[in-house]
Structure formats: C-alpha cells, structure tokens
Amino acid sequence: MNRFPVRKVAVLGAGVMGAQIAAHLVNCKVPVILFDLPAKDGPKNAIVTRAIEGLKKLKPAPLGLNEDAALIQPANYEEHLDLLKGCDLIIEAIAERMDWKLELYKRIAPAVAPHAIVASNTSGLSITRLSEVLPEELKPRFCGIHFFNPPRYMALVELINTPTTRPEILDQLEAFVTTALGKSVVRAMDTPNFIANRVGIAGMLATMKEAETFGLTYDVVDDLTGKKLGRASSGTFRTADVVGLDTMSHVIKTLQDNLAADPFFASYATPPVLAKLIAQGALGQKSGAGFYKKVGKDILRLDPTSGAYVAGGGKADEIVARILKKPPAERLKLLRESKNPQAAFLWAILRDSFHYAAVHLADIAESARDIDFAMRWGFGVQQGPFELWQAAGWTTVANWIDEDIAAGKALSTAPLPSWVFTGAVAEGQGVHRAEGSWSAAQSRFVPVSTLPVYQRQNFRESVFGAGAAVPLKSGTEAFSNDEMRVWSLDGEVLIASITAKLHLIGQGVVDGLVKAVELAETDYKGLVIWSPDDVFSAGANLEQLMPVFMKGGGQAIVPEVKKLQDAMLRLRYASVPVVSAIRGIALGGGCEIALHTARRVAAMESYMGLVEVGVGLIPGGGGLTHVARRAAEMASAGNAAADIFKFLSDGFTNAAMAKVGTSAIESRKLGYLLWSDVVVPHKDELLYVATQQAKAMYESGYRAPARSLFPVAGRNAIATIKAQLANMRDGGFISAHDFHISALIADVVCGGDVDAGSMVSEEYLMALERKYFCALLDHPKTQERIMGMLQTGKPVRN
C-alpha cells in the first residue's frame, strides 16, 4: 500500500475542537502545529498556549498523557504562516462561520505547500462554497473532514469532496485517517450537516417532539433511548447537554436555513424548551445546566412546565425494558401494539428514523451502509436504522410505516420511496446483502470500498445482512475447547482466541494456551493471542475456582495457580514468537498473559493493569515476577552496580495501587508495554499488525530469551517499603488489609528474606506469589472482597 506521507499537520483554530484534534494527532505520534489568532495582550501565542494547557483539564481526557501536550507546537497567523509550507495536511477547525473561514483561506493560501491537502472540519457548511475562494491550483486538494466530538474517542470521520476535488485526495486522506489516526471513514455528499448530523439531529428533534406528545420526562426518555435501545448510554437529552445546546442549535439552524423544501422541514423547528434554555445561558454540561443540572452529588432534571430543576432518576417501565430484550421482529411488533405510552413512544421514534432514512437516502449518502455506519460510529448506536429495519422484517415494517403515514401519525406525509416496496430491495428483503448495500441514487447495490488500506483489516466492520465472515468461525481450526479456539487464517501464524465470558482465565484457557504453543512450535512461524471484541482478558475466573476452594481452602488452589504460572513461562520461552494483540481490557491475569509474550501489539484504547488487590489478592500469574525481573534488567542496562530498588518502586506502586493504564500510551509509561511494543490506532488493524510482527520476528531468526538468574532488591528494600506503608496505614490512607496485601507484594518483588543483589530465578519468585496468593484466599477480608466483586461487580474497601 502506497501511503500519502503526512510528516506534519497544521490545525487552524485552537478552540475546543481544534485543540482536541491536535491532541489526538500527538497521541498518534503525528507532529502538529496548532494555530490561532495572535493575542492582543502578552505573548502572541497566548490563545494557543492557553488552549493546550486546557487540554490537561478536559474530561474525558483528550491526551493519552498530559505531558504530551508539550508536543503540540503553538503558532499564530501573524508570525508563523511560513510554517505551513512544511505541512502535508492542513485541517481548518475554526468557528462555524462561512465568512470567517473564507477570509482565513485567502490568508493562508499563499503559504500552502504545492502537494498539501487542505481540509475543513465543519459540521455542516457547504464544502463546495468554502472551496470557491481558493486559488485554482489548490481547489483539487481541498475537501471536508468532519471529526466527531470528542475526536480521541469517537470513531467517525466524514470525508466530503467538491466537484473539483481530485479523487485520489480523498483516497489518500482516508488511508491516513484510518491507519494513522484509527478512525472509521464514511464518504458523505456535500449536503447540509452531511450524514450523521443530518440523520442524528433529525432523530433527536423527533425524539423531543414525541416525548412531548407522549408526556414523558427527560430522565425517562434518556433511560429508554440509551443502552436499553442499543444506543449511547447518555440517551437523548443528556447527549444534547454534553454536545452543547448552542452547538445543537447551530446544527438545527443549518437544517432550517438550507432545507425549506424538505418534506420533514416542519420537524426541524427549534423546540421551545431548547430556545428558552439557550436564551437563559443554560447551554448544557459546559455551563453547568441544560436539560439537567448537577447539584452536589445529585443530578436534577428540568421540569419544562415550571422551569425548575427537580429530582431525576426516572426509569423505563419494567414491561418496556423486557420488550426491548426481545429479538428485533418481536420487539418492534410489541412496541407498536402496546398501549403503554413508553412503548408507543419508542415505536414512534423508531418509525420516524426508518421513514427519514428511507426518504433521504438518495440525497445524502451513496448507500444505506453509509447511513448505518455514520449512526453507529457517530452516535453510538449498535445498529443503524436500515440494519434494525432489515433485522425486524423488511416488508412487514415497511407496511407498518406506510400505515402510520396514511393515518397521520408520522412526522411527514412524504410516502416511502418506491424501491422500498418493489424491485431488488423488496425481493431481497433489505438494503444490505453480500454484494453490497442499496444506493437509491444509483438504483443498485454498491460494494464496500476496495482501497488498499482495508486489506489491513482481516475482519472489517460490517453491517447486518452483508454476510461478513465471523472471525471465530473463519480460517482453519487446529484445536478448540469450551474456553479457547486455536486457528489460522494463512497457515503461517497460529491464532489463539479466548472464548470464555469476559475472556476470564479458567482451566480451559490455561490448557488452550499451552496447546497453542505446542502447535505453533511444531507447524507455524508464530502465535498471536487475539479475540475479536473489546476484551483481551478480564483476569482469572475466580468463580470457577470456588468449588475447589470450598472443598479444600486456599491450599487446594495451589496446583491450579502452578498450572497458570507454568503456562505463562511456556508463553515466554516458546521457541517461536508469541504476540499479544490487545484490545480493550487486559486486567489481572489478562495483563500477565500479555507481559509474558515476546511482543505486545495494543490498540490505542486499551486498558492494562495488575488489579488483583481489588479482590484482596496479589497477582498470582507471574505479574510480580515480571516486575522484579524488569527492574533487574533496567538496572543492569544502566549500570551493573545500580540500585535495583529505584527501578522497582514504580512497578510495586502500580501493583499495590492497582493502577490501570487508560490508554496504550499510558500503559507504556506504567511499564505494561515496552517501547519496542507496537501501538495500533485502528482496532480492526490489530490482528493484521500482530501477525505481521510475528512473521517478521520469525524471519529475523527469533530466539526465545535465555533462562537466567537475576538480582533482587532484598530484605532492606522490603523494610523500606513497609515503613512507607505503615505511615500510610497510620495516617488512614490505607486499611490494615491493604497494608497486609501491599507488604506481601513488596516481599515478592524484592525477592523475600535475602540479601540485596541475591540471584534468583523466575520459578523462585513465582513460588512466593503462589504461596501468598493462596494464603490470602483463606483471609476473611479477602473473601469479603471477592464475594462483593462477584455479587456487585464493584470493589469492596475493607
């Protein structure tokens, strides 16, 4: 794959969005210059430097590490326009004012490099109109790029061309945004608010209108339209508060100003309550009040009748919650036929979304797939409108919508397009099929993009009905049991996929890992541990061990822990490279699996940590042994006579405080990932990169590390740590049981009651781990923590 070389990016505009785009670029190790106007007083870069400092305070955090804010280079338009000449991509992200954007383009155009791509991050302004002010030589390299907020976490990026944009420009930008930034791209037409905001905001307006029709409060609506409906947990009104009511109003105004002929135009009216809140300066989360207001620890909701904030917390009726757990066809039928106002409300908003998407498909998107993906990636829904419609029965649902339109229940009297009822879509019972998704504009099924960048995605995200390959049913299976599938896609690299719930490590996983190593050493170039969801492994399956423990106590668990530790060493000393492909959570035993592999390839949004203290235990699968060995290696690398303890303290603290790296970047800082490990921005490229790493290591003559003894910090270091822990205990910062657990962790990582510099083996330290892990299982305080976690899913502090 030939890549467009993006060596440096300029972001124009240091507002909330521009600054966060710059933050995500440095997360992905892309050098970036952040521009804004020169400050009227003080240093000229003051506006930008304040914005960069502000990134450190935002939640959710836009930066993987706050110190990486220093990697953003500040600049202003008065002094630094020449810096644009060294940029391969320029992203304009100033306020949504056409006149301001056009004026800025005139100003920067002479400084743009002859090869550079210029893109406007606008949520809905016409990209074609924006391009008209550009010099003729720049127009072919100009397009729209719409990141969703917050850009670090939201997958969707919409790319929009103009009549003069060269096709290869969007191809190059799509490849960069996908692989380098980890985003999921939808190509949008140059229509008001593009795809996601057009459909999403229209849906939010419809929800607000139907909520009023059915007399539902905001908290109940949010409970109904959140996770229960397969959408983002924030629901509708809470989402509006998070986005900003003024921002939402601006997007609505774009619809109002540009879509007078739209058959749904009447539904674009600004809700009176929204207009009133904005007039009062209640703009949502950023102003402290909107549809909701936080008072102390309480979240109050607005009562639109009185204008006061009252107690919230309203929930969906139990009968409706049960309906929403049914399969799609049964679910929609029950909602439509129910007399419950909450159920009727849900049918109404779903019908409205189906109706709107069908009527506008030809105008706003190349295919139904683009609408479904835009809603999935931009608004956090599990299924887009066409996917849900198709899953529930295409013709049946179409007839229900048609009946509601005729009865005057729908938001618009516009009929469903003829392709809904006749032709290929009706015959195939849906808009998605194996050969592609329906394009109403082209009257054909359009296949997925064949850009080379997607060859890096072994199991590309797909839509319902497309017949995409199922990872755990693909390839050639070499071995399987109830908790593990071992298989290969290419016959060269073996893949081990944990299939247990939350990928918890039970006996089947331990046996499967050992078997996978044996097979890989015999017939393959390497082994990759990977699973196709957002859990690498949540740790040991304590519930599975419960019967053994109940029968024989902690001592009965010793053989099981020994098997786990032996499996970890089997991974570490395999004669072929073993690579962990980490996505999502890798906690406790899951983190220990990763630590014992030859290399780790981690998706950007991965969460790693040794968290056993949360259930009153110490890491028992070699995690503390790893901490001790790494400290010895780092001390030796710097100075053979160096004090091991100073290299040990961070690893001890991480385990004792159950610190979790909240990104792959932070996990590197905490030592769960090494600088030689690979961070992959796009989750769907993880398996490809991991298998390529395994092959490259094999072809480079990979040899397992030599088994050897290493020095430990010894009893004096243990005494130092215990003195610090005693101060924390006596000061009330930790409990007596926290002190006990942390002291045991110190004992293991320092090597027990031995002199400083004593040489030990991994097996020796693992025996200490095993001893203390099993002893803690018999401790009443640990048992309280374990039972609390199993029953509530939350840690117990005792």
Side-chain angles (χ1 to χ4, degrees), residues 75 173 309 409 467 614:
L173 196 53
Y309 287 92
K409 296 178 181 179

Side-chain angles (χ1 to χ4, degrees), residues 87-137:
C87 296
D88 306 297
L89 172 62
I90 299 168
I91 300 173
E92 171 270 305
I94 68 171
E96 293 285 277
R97 283 274 301 267
M98 178 72 71
D99 54 339
W100 290 358
K101 290 178 184 284
L102 295 178
E103 188 61 35
L104 180 61
Y105 294 171
K106 293 177 186 176
R107 190 170 185 179
I108 67 165
V112 175
H115 70 284
I117 297 173
V118 179
S120 174
N121 180 68
T122 173
S123 60
L125 296 179
S126 168
I127 304 302
T128 301
R129 282 189 59 198
L130 287 171
S131 73
E132 290 170 357
V133 74
L134 294 171
E136 290 302 315
E137 64 273 14

Side-chain angles (χ1 to χ4, degrees), residues 597-675:
T597 55
R599 182 156 297 169
R600 287 142 294 277
V601 176
M604 180 74 75
E605 297 305 323
S606 296
Y607 305 86
M608 300 182 68
L610 300 172
V611 296
E612 285 83 354
V613 297
V615 288
L617 296 168
I618 69 167
L624 299 182
T625 299
H626 168 85
V627 170
R629 180 176 51 76
R630 281 292 298 153
E633 289 170 351
M634 288 187 288
S636 176
N639 179 348
D643 181 3
I644 297 171
F645 180 67
K646 70 179 182 181
F647 294 98
L648 186 69
S649 57
D650 285 346
F652 162 78
T653 301
N654 294 341
M657 297 182 65
K659 284 190 176 181
V660 174
T662 56
S663 67
I665 301 168
E666 188 178 10
S667 291
R668 265 185 175 153
K669 182 180 180 182
L670 295 176
Y672 302 131
L673 297 176
L674 306 180
W675 281 103

Side-chain angles (χ1 to χ4, degrees), residues 689-773:
V689 175
T691 53
Q692 294 302 311
Q693 287 286 314
K695 290 177 185 178
M697 293 169 73
Y698 177 87
E699 298 296 347
S700 299
Y702 174 79
R703 301 288 296 178
R707 291 178 182 263
S708 61
L709 303 179
F710 52 88
V712 289
R715 64 176 69 88
N716 289 342
I718 296 172
T720 300
I721 293 174
K722 283 185 176 179
Q724 296 169 349
L725 291 172
N727 289 334
M728 295 178 69
R729 179 197 58 201
D730 296 344
F733 296 103
I734 61 174
S735 69
H737 196 47
D738 290 329
F739 174 89
H740 178 57
I741 298 168
S742 298
L744 296 180
I745 292 174
D747 204 67
V748 177
V749 298
C750 295
D753 188 17
V754 297
D755 294 333
S758 294
M759 305 298 286
V760 303
S761 67
E762 288 169 298
E763 289 83 357
Y764 165 80
L765 291 180
M766 283 184 169
L768 287 179
E769 283 189 40
R770 192 163 63 246
K771 172 185 173 183
Y772 296 144
F773 181 92

Side-chain angles (χ1 to χ4, degrees), residues 361 365-373 386 431-432 437-439:
L361 175 57
E366 182 186 47
S367 76
R369 178 177 54 249
D370 294 325
I371 289 181
D372 282 344
F373 274 158
F386 287 117
V431 291
H432 302 305
S437 295
W438 182 252
S439 171

Side-chain angles (χ1 to χ4, degrees), residues 354-355 357-362 386 389 394-395 398-399 401-402 405 413-431 438-445:
F354 301 153
H355 186 196
V359 168
H360 289 294
L361 175 57
F386 287 117
W389 180 351
W394 185 264
T395 299
N399 287 331
I401 300 168
D402 201 40
I405 295 170
T413 58
L416 288 171
S418 59
W419 55 261
V420 171
F421 296 102
T422 61
V425 170
E427 292 166 6
Q429 286 297 290
V431 291
W438 182 252
S439 171
Q442 302 176 43
S443 297
R444 68 183 183 92
F445 288 91

